[in-house]
Amino acid sequence: MEPSINPSLETANIDISKWKIAVVWAAGLISALAFGYFLRLFLGGGNQLMVLTAALVLFLIVFVLQTLFLKGGKIVYSLAALESGGLMIFFLDYFSWYWLAALAALLGFFWLAVYRGRAEIDDQMKVHFPRIEKKVLAQVFTGISLLISLMYVEIAGLGNLGITQKQIDNLLRPAEPIVQNLLIGNFSFNMTVYQFVEASMVNQLAGQLGVPINAVPAAAKSAAINQSLNALQGQAAGYGINFRNSDTISQVVYNYLVGQIKKIPSGFRFAVPAGVALIVFLTVRGLGTIIRWLVSVPAYLVYELLLLTGFARLSLESRSREIIIL
């Protein structure tokens, strides 16, 4: 059932409730601060992946709604600018050219999202939520993807490329919770290759034998681990990767990257941080479709609820404009 539409109003394109504008502003700033806070924790090595995703979805929902509800140009663009600053304030301890570039990317794409969303509204006789939401989310998520890629490189210390073990640890740490959710619950890049293979094989053997993990026979476990280690070393050698069973996964990655970087002429090594940033950007941006589905449905439900409860209303606007005819 469509919400009722008020009669034609000359002031339909003007917000008249200051407290409602304040509520939208507060929701936008709070959701931006929450997302920025959890993103900083995650890039710093935290494992709050689910909380971070929830904060991102909440912020995107609010951004779509504020683009729909706020019509004053100065008001909505100012809010987008404040949200950009709210996201970046948690990264002030990494202030650098990367920080400034990330802030500029956020500000530019947030403003572009508002412009595209408002232009779509003005071009249509009726408010088509899916079209508006699609245009807004595409730009906002691109800005966020740039933020993540730039600050990921800066936090990892790749801005001043020297490649130390600590840099590699910082670079890999944000990926730990993802691997934990997908593969091994107790995964860590600081675990040795032997421990990694052991954890993988024990889980696999328990499933094959249909017994609890602690009931897997020691002989079967030992044989499977040794066989897997030998196979892994053979496969890795084909890619120029050599390791000992006592090496940590982080050390294996470090040794391999150092070997590959040494092969790059010194004059071109500046491109390594840019390459890492590009890979991270494309990876995050590739999740855009999934994120959109997580955002679009609840955003539409909240939009309809706010219309039904009278927080906002649909009005018909009567206006004249110049046209050219022959």
Side-chain angles (χ1 to χ4, degrees):
M1 178 179 179
E2 294 188 359
S4 60
I5 301 178
N6 290 333
S8 175
L9 296 173
E10 293 297 330
T11 59
N13 206 36
I14 300 176
D15 289 315
I16 58 177
S17 176
K18 292 183 178 179
W19 77 264
K20 291 179 181 178
I21 295 174
V23 168
V24 175
W25 264 59
L29 287 176
I30 292 173
S31 60
L33 289 170
F35 173 57
Y37 173 75
F38 287 111
L39 179 61
R40 175 66 181 83
L41 290 181
F42 181 76
L43 292 181
N47 59 355
Q48 304 89 354
L49 181 60
M50 298 303 296
V51 178
L52 173 63
T53 303
L56 171 61
V57 169
L58 174 62
F59 171 66
L60 293 176
I61 290 173
V62 174
F63 199 102
V64 171
L65 295 177
Q66 75 189 34
T67 304
L68 280 162
F69 292 152
L70 298 178
K71 286 166 285 298
K74 292 182 179 180
I75 294 176
V76 67
Y77 282 108
S78 297
L79 177 55
L82 286 175
E83 289 168 337
S84 301
L87 283 170
M88 294 306 301
I89 195 172
F90 296 101
F91 296 92
L92 271 175
D93 51 334
Y94 286 98
F95 184 83
S96 63
W97 288 110
Y98 283 89
W99 189 94
L100 292 173
L103 176 61
L106 279 183
L107 188 59
F109 278 99
F110 282 11
W111 278 356
L112 183 60
V114 173
Y115 173 78
R116 291 278 179 86
R118 296 307 308 171
E120 182 67 25
I121 294 173
D122 292 338
D123 286 344
Q124 304 298 325
M125 294 297 294
K126 293 185 65 177
V127 177
H128 294 281
F129 184 89
R131 295 184 189 176
I132 300 166
E133 162 262 322
K134 182 179 181 180
K135 290 194 178 281
V136 172
L137 285 183
Q139 306 306 323
V140 175
F141 196 67
T142 298
I144 290 174
S145 300
L146 285 169
L147 158 67
I148 293 174
S149 62
L150 290 168
M151 296 315 301
Y152 183 74
V153 169
E154 178 62 23
I155 292 174
L158 295 180
N160 299 311
L161 190 63
I163 299 297
T164 64
Q165 183 66 60
K166 184 177 180 180
Q167 287 177 338
I168 297 301
D169 291 341
N170 292 336
L171 188 67
L172 296 175
R173 192 177 299 118
E176 278 190 1
I178 299 175
V179 180
Q180 289 170 355
N181 289 326
L182 295 177
L183 297 177
I184 304 172
N186 62 344
F187 175 82
S188 170
F189 283 105
N190 290 323
M191 68 189 335
T192 65
V193 176
Y194 182 89
Q195 290 172 332
F196 172 72
V197 173
E198 180 183 29
S200 302
M201 292 310 302
V202 168
N203 288 334
Q204 184 177 339
L205 283 172
Q208 291 176 350
L209 299 176
V211 298
I213 293 177
N214 56 5
V216 175
K221 181 171 69 173
S222 178
I225 291 174
N226 290 330
Q227 182 179 358
S228 295
L229 283 171
N230 292 332
L232 182 60
Q233 287 176 336
Q235 292 173 356
Y239 296 96
I241 303 175
N242 298 303
F243 59 85
R244 297 171 298 179
N245 295 342
S246 58
D247 289 342
T248 66
I249 297 175
S250 178
Q251 288 172 336
V252 174
V253 174
Y254 169 73
N255 292 333
Y256 175 74
L257 288 179
V258 168
Q260 295 302 309
I261 289 174
K262 286 181 178 179
K263 297 178 182 179
I264 302 174
S266 58
F268 294 94
R269 292 181 186 176
F270 71 90
V272 173
V276 174
L278 178 61
I279 292 172
V280 174
F281 170 77
L282 294 176
T283 301
V284 176
R285 191 64 185 83
L287 300 174
T289 302
I290 298 175
I291 296 298
R292 189 194 167 199
W293 282 110
L294 292 176
V295 171
S296 59
V297 174
Y300 181 72
L301 293 176
V302 174
Y303 166 73
E304 289 289 347
L305 179 63
L306 292 176
L307 290 179
L308 290 173
T309 56
F311 182 86
R313 66 186 182 187
L314 291 175
S315 297
L316 295 176
E317 181 184 36
S318 176
R319 57 182 177 180
S320 300
R321 62 182 180 132
E322 292 182 339
I323 60 174
I324 300 173
I325 60 175
L326 296 178

